[in-house]
Amino acid sequence: VSKGFRLGGINDPLNVPLCTPQDLVTFGGRETWEDETAWNYEVGSKTTLAGGGIFNAAIFYMDISDLQATVTAGSCSSRLILNVPKARSQGVELSQKGLSMAVSGSSSRTAHVLVLVRPVLVPPASRRLPLSLALTLTSTPFHISLWSP
């Protein structure tokens, strides 16, 4: 369990001559943003397998208050940082690395880093943050062969 934070700050001024009246109403008056805080919970295991392989697994959950989200201020040709009141991130991380040895003087190493599931949701009604994926899956298999005469 850990608690993290990111300091708030000051937004650059809007490019007012380019803003439509509606965008001035929507994005005006947002000179600052608040500190972001997060409570992180993670539980996991690292295991050495027979033959030198490694298997890691973890589950995580993060409660975020005042998430700092960068938004484009419509027609104003500006970017602002706004606070999202509540958000959460949760998921599972799995990784596996295997090592196999050959008798002929060569060895090979194989690794698979598999599955990062991290939906980011915002209450109410579990709406996702803009540009956030409902599910992320990453797999990076690789194989290295070493040969010595």
Side-chain angles (χ1 to χ4, degrees):
V1 176
S2 64
K3 184 177 182 183
F5 74 98
R6 195 163 34 166
L7 291 175
I10 300 170
N11 280 313
D12 290 333
L14 291 176
N15 195 346
V16 175
L18 297 178
C19 294
T20 64
Q22 180 61 42
D23 284 344
L24 272 176
V25 170
T26 303
F27 299 107
R30 300 179 183 265
E31 287 81 21
T32 64
W33 69 90
E34 301 299 318
D35 295 350
E36 175 183 313
T37 58
W39 278 99
N40 306 288
Y41 308 90
E42 184 172 348
V43 115
S45 171
K46 295 183 179 218
T47 307
T48 301
L49 305 171
I54 298 171
F55 179 76
N56 300 326
I59 58 172
F60 60 89
Y61 179 87
M62 185 183 333
D63 266 327
I64 307 166
S65 297
D66 292 319
L67 174 73
Q68 296 172 0
T70 303
V71 298
T72 301
S75 62
C76 301
S77 187
S78 303
R79 289 186 184 247
L80 300 174
I81 296 178
L82 305 178
N83 290 105
V84 177
K86 297 280 182 195
R88 71 175 177 251
S89 178
Q90 61 192 19
V92 177
E93 239 179 315
L94 303 171
S95 67
Q96 174 190 345
K97 295 179 184 176
L99 181 63
S100 59
M101 301 296 279
V103 181
S104 66
S106 67
S107 66
S108 77
R109 180 181 179 97
T110 305
H112 301 279
V113 178
L114 182 62
V115 186
L116 170 61
V117 182
R118 182 178 283 184
V120 178
L121 307 170
V122 180
S126 296
R127 292 176 290 147
R128 282 196 303 277
L129 291 171
L131 305 175
S132 69
L133 300 173
L135 175 66
T136 303
L137 175 63
T138 304
S139 177
T140 312
F142 62 89
H143 179 81
I144 300 171
S145 291
L146 305 172
W147 183 79
S148 59

